[in-house]
Amino acid sequence: MMPLSRWLRSMGIFLLPAPCWVPRERWLGPLQRLSFVHRGSVLGAWHSARCWCQARTEEPRIHYSSFRMNGNQKLDVCDEKRQNFIQHFSQIVKVLTEDDMGHPETGDAIARLKEVLEYNVIGGKYQRGMTVLTTFQDLVEPKKQDADSLQRAMTVGWCVELFQAFFLVSDDIMDSSLTRRGQICWYQKPGIGLDAINDAMLLEACVYRLLKLYCREQPYYLNLIELFLQSSYQTELGQTLDLITAPQGNVDLGRFTEKRYKSIVKYKTAFYSFYLPVAAAMYMAGIDGEKEHANAKKILLEMGELFQIQDDYLDLFGDSSVTGKIGTDIQDNKCSWLVVQCLQRASPEQRQILQENYGQKEAEKVARVKALYEELNLQAVFLQYEEERYSHLMDLIEHYSSPLPPAIFLRLAQKIYRRKK
């Protein structure tokens, strides 16, 4: 017989417990009841750990009214948190550049750094950085969330965003990309070119400057330093796998296996995009146990794989006006989820078409590959696969999220589910 929780999920209903910092005796009082939240409303229902604690420890009427908030009120809470996070970026730039802007020796370099920061770090979805802040607030008791701790959480969130910018600037050069976040890639700007390699290194260096400035006196400082260093190494290993699997001018379809694809995705995307921000918040909340981190990693790496599969699909079938970038996976001979799926289904004749056209820059050859994907109905294959992986992700959250609040993972899953950019 199917467990009740799984049946409820199949109907689009999630069961949300209290945050891990709420003592059991406080939430098993007169409000000893489960909360049912329809799919798509997880973030609104658990819009902050602070509101949930109030709902669980005060009068029932407050509990009920908190879930009768209209959509605008729910969004207001999230929007305010996001706006506070975005506004903190000006402080980040100020800390990194203001004191040295007029330095007689390095002033010009600092002015360049400011330009690099303002062009490359903002303009994204801020999902990775915001995850640090919201996870920290879910894990830490409200009375311990003072202005200083929240500022540190936002700063570490921006460290993740800087980390992302470092990878993107580098990746765009290696992939000969044209646009990023709705504007031309940094290295494509007049007068920049391959100088962007050094700019990317500056972005990475800023991560460790910020961690030192804001977190040096904190007990979790060493854990954060090691986490970012390890994430950098893992991501660069993933990028290496990506590059050596698809060398320029050498199309070898035999390299494009599902096993190799999963390895690339795990190391290039999943570690830094999903595990890094949650793990950073866990360390900041004093959660450093191996088991807790291993369980979180099990969920988050799976989530990262689904995210990259979506990225590969959107690279070809997404709307560039929505995604903000022009896909080049076919031209760049990438070990993409689409080409792996194509090879698993292609006839010998179709494989020959792929061999003759994949990894080529000519528009007509790219069009032939896209037509082949459509002939194999890969769009429908993707939609079914996305549903299956999302269901599997829900199972992992059910079994491995404890003792962390499941909402940490559900919130991330909801953000990527059926995403268009």
Side-chain angles (χ1 to χ4, degrees), residues 3-218:
L4 174 62
S5 59
R6 186 175 299 179
W7 179 84
L8 287 168
R9 279 208 320 272
S10 71
M11 301 299 291
I13 297 171
F14 300 111
L15 305 180
L16 302 183
C20 61
W21 48 259
V22 178
R24 185 177 178 85
E25 62 273 13
R26 288 174 64 188
W27 60 269
L28 283 178
L31 302 176
Q32 188 173 359
R33 65 180 70 233
L34 293 169
S35 293
F36 295 87
V37 184
H38 191 270
R39 179 173 288 163
S41 302
V42 174
L43 183 58
W46 200 318
H47 58 85
S48 74
R50 193 185 304 269
C51 292
W52 184 276
C53 181
Q54 182 185 51
R56 284 290 185 181
T57 57
E58 296 183 6
E59 294 298 321
R61 61 181 177 81
I62 298 176
H63 172 76
Y64 300 139
S65 65
S66 70
F67 290 104
R68 287 202 299 267
M69 293 165 60
N70 64 46
N72 289 336
Q73 287 175 299
K74 294 178 184 178
L75 290 173
D76 285 347
V77 176
C78 304
D79 288 345
E80 181 182 2
K81 190 179 294 187
R82 188 173 188 273
Q83 286 304 312
N84 289 339
F85 179 77
I86 294 171
Q87 288 170 9
H88 188 60
F89 181 66
S90 61
Q91 178 66 22
I92 296 295
V93 175
K94 182 178 180 180
V95 165
L96 289 171
T97 64
E98 188 176 63
D99 289 346
D100 296 324
M101 190 67 80
H103 193 282
E105 295 176 330
T106 61
D108 288 346
I110 297 300
R112 169 66 169 242
L113 171 59
K114 187 173 187 292
E115 185 183 359
V116 171
L117 289 167
E118 292 175 343
Y119 191 91
N120 294 288
V121 182
I122 58 175
K125 298 184 288 290
Y126 309 116
Q127 179 174 305
R128 295 167 181 83
M130 281 292 297
T131 295
V132 178
L133 176 61
T134 54
T135 302
F136 176 80
Q137 290 179 303
D138 281 344
L139 294 175
V140 175
E141 195 172 353
K143 66 182 181 182
K144 296 181 180 179
Q145 295 180 29
D146 57 20
D148 288 342
S149 67
L150 290 174
Q151 184 181 61
R152 283 192 292 270
M154 284 195 287
T155 299
V156 174
W158 276 109
C159 284
V160 177
E161 292 292 326
L162 283 163
F163 214 51
Q164 159 84 339
F166 154 56
F167 291 133
L168 294 184
V169 171
S170 305
D171 193 60
D172 285 343
I173 298 169
M174 288 180 266
D175 290 348
S176 302
S177 297
L178 302 175
T179 61
R180 172 71 66 180
R181 293 173 174 171
Q183 58 186 7
I184 65 170
C185 295
W186 175 247
Y187 83 99
Q188 292 273 13
K189 283 176 65 66
I192 303 297
L194 294 182
D195 291 356
I197 296 171
N198 189 70
D199 296 331
M201 288 189 269
L202 279 174
L203 290 169
E204 184 189 28
C206 286
V207 170
Y208 300 100
R209 287 190 66 206
L210 287 170
L211 290 175
K212 181 179 179 180
L213 287 168
Y214 282 85
C215 302
R216 188 179 186 181
E217 304 303 322
Q218 301 305 312

Side-chain angles (χ1 to χ4, degrees), residues 233-243 263-264 267-268:
Y233 178 63
Q234 289 163 329
T235 306
E236 287 152 13
L237 284 179
Q239 180 71 355
T240 301
L241 287 173
D242 188 22
L243 293 170
S263 297
I264 293 171
Y267 284 89
K268 183 179 177 179

Side-chain angles (χ1 to χ4, degrees), residues 253 256 316-317 330 338-359 363-381:
L253 299 180
F256 299 157
L316 183 61
F317 293 111
I330 293 174
L338 289 170
V339 76
V340 171
Q341 297 302 311
C342 176
L343 288 167
Q344 290 176 356
R345 293 165 170 80
S347 67
E349 294 78 14
Q350 290 169 324
R351 185 184 177 97
Q352 185 60 34
I353 292 172
L354 191 65
Q355 180 70 55
E356 292 171 355
N357 294 280
Y358 201 74
E364 62 272 15
K365 293 191 175 185
V366 174
R368 286 189 196 125
V369 175
K370 184 175 182 180
L372 177 58
Y373 289 171
E374 291 171 340
E375 182 181 331
L376 292 169
N377 206 17
L378 292 191
Q379 289 164 291
V381 172

